[in-house]
């Protein structure tokens, strides 16, 4: 796979996808540059999670193409996409409940900048809980572990689905702090699906609004923050 500065990390062209015969995404196009972060917002059920699942290969692709670092991955198996450098933090977190924190990380580790000790530096709480089983962690710790596990795979694109969902505000602050550290990595591109509009627009300079499986806005987050009426019209809410 070719890779050079300023290039496209992830590109979707005319993508239609869904589950079985059901089409959720329709003729969707998106270009995520190397090192860029994009927040995806919209009402519930408009296809945000399906978009991330499609990039990862968990849905049926009915049309279009998906490129990662300039190479088409539309037909690539899920595990091969992960090995190639697409990291995925699903909404359900999906950590291994019967493995320790350290073991959860070790099974996903690939050579690169991020290793177990590095992610412990990013999430000190996980170091304190290194020998605890996955099912002994709080919701916030499970979310941190899900992100850390994706990182030790040393991805070039990180997909995060609703990382703040159901977490206490103080835990969300810790997560956002860690995410901002990741954002400074010029090699890592981030695609964030986030139901809390305020968090989403504050995190990424660029925002995408989805509605009924299509992109209805792709532009500066600041434009939406400056125009609450427009934001309300696009997603039906004016805040978090």
């Amino acid at each position: 796979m070719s890779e050079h500065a300023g290039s496209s990390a992830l590109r979707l062209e005319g993508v239609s996808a869904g589950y079985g015969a059901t089409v959720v995404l329709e003729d969707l196009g998106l270009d995520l540059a190397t090192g860029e972060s994009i927040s995806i917002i919209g009402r519930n059920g408009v296809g945000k999670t399906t978009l991330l699942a499609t990039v990862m290969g968990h849905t049926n692709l009915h049309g279009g193409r998906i490129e990662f670092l300039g190479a088409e991955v539309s037909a690539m198996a899920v595990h091969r996409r992960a090995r190639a450098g697409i990291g995925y933090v699903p909404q359900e977190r999906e950590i291994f409940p019967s493995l320790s924190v350290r073991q959860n990380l070790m099974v996903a580790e690939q050579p690169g900048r991020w290793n177990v000790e590095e992610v412990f530096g990013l999430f000190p709480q996980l170091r304190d809980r290194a020998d605890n089983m996955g099912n002994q962690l709080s919701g916030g710790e499970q979310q941190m572990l899900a992100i850390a596990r994706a990182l030790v795979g040393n991805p070039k694109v990180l997909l995060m689905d609703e990382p703040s969902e159901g977490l206490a505000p103080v835990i969300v602050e810790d997560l956002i702090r860690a995410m901002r550290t990741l954002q400074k990595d010029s090699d890592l591109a981030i695609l964030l699906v986030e139901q809390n509009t305020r968090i989403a627009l504050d995190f990424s300079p660029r925002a995408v609004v989805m509605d009924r499986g299509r992109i209805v806005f792709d532009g500066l987050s600041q434009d939406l923050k400056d125009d609450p009426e427009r934001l309300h019209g696009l997603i039906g809410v004016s805040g978090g």
Side-chain angles (χ1 to χ4, degrees):
M1 293 182 182
S2 63
E3 180 188 354
H4 34 81
S7 62
S8 176
L10 182 69
R11 178 177 289 135
L12 281 66
E13 297 178 357
V15 166
S16 295
Y19 305 94
T22 303
V23 175
V24 178
L25 307 179
E26 294 188 60
D27 194 28
L28 191 143
L30 185 66
D31 201 334
L32 175 69
T34 301
E36 183 183 23
S37 60
I38 299 176
S39 290
I40 302 173
I41 59 177
R43 298 178 180 89
N44 285 325
V46 297
K48 305 185 301 294
T49 290
T50 302
L51 171 56
L52 298 191
T54 297
V55 171
M56 205 63 223
H58 290 300
T59 64
N60 296 99
L61 190 66
H62 294 283
R65 59 187 278 129
I66 302 169
E67 292 182 2
F68 172 63
L69 300 180
E72 185 169 7
V73 297
S74 307
M76 187 180 281
V78 174
H79 70 277
R80 289 191 59 212
R81 296 187 203 203
R83 286 279 177 192
I86 303 178
Y88 185 40
V89 184
Q91 197 170 1
E92 300 80 12
R93 297 163 190 161
E94 294 179 6
I95 62 169
F96 298 110
S98 59
L99 295 184
S100 71
V101 166
R102 190 181 297 277
Q103 289 168 334
N104 263 278
L105 295 171
M106 289 172 64
V107 297
E109 199 170 7
Q110 291 196 96
R113 177 198 164 183
W114 291 102
N115 56 36
V116 174
E117 284 306 310
E118 285 288 325
V119 295
F120 281 166
L122 186 66
F123 296 115
Q125 297 97 316
L126 294 183
R127 177 183 280 117
D128 297 338
R129 308 278 270 161
D131 297 321
N132 287 81
M133 297 298 121
N135 59 8
Q136 296 174 318
L137 303 180
S138 69
E141 290 164 344
Q142 288 185 9
Q143 186 61 269
M144 291 172 190
L145 179 55
I147 295 171
R149 187 181 58 181
L151 285 176
V152 295
N154 282 287
K156 292 296 186 184
V157 170
L158 182 62
L159 313 174
M160 289 193 282
D161 194 1
E162 305 278 13
S164 77
E165 185 180 42
L167 302 182
V170 64
I171 301 298
V172 172
E173 285 178 19
D174 288 341
L175 273 180
I176 292 172
R177 212 167 11 248
M179 287 162 57
R180 291 208 177 282
T181 299
L182 300 180
Q183 206 174 27
K184 294 171 186 171
D185 184 342
S186 60
D187 288 332
L188 181 65
I190 298 174
L191 206 53
L192 170 69
V193 165
E194 178 52 63
Q195 197 63 37
N196 186 312
T197 307
R198 180 187 54 79
I199 290 174
L201 297 181
D202 284 347
F203 179 71
S204 302
R206 180 176 164 200
V208 163
V209 181
M210 291 185 65
D211 189 33
R212 299 178 190 175
R214 296 177 180 270
I215 290 175
V216 295
F217 175 91
D218 184 348
L220 295 177
S221 299
Q222 193 63 47
D223 289 349
L224 294 180
K225 288 201 273 188
D226 291 343
D227 193 346
E229 286 189 16
R230 184 181 189 191
L231 178 60
H232 186 274
L234 286 168
I235 68 172
V237 294
S238 56

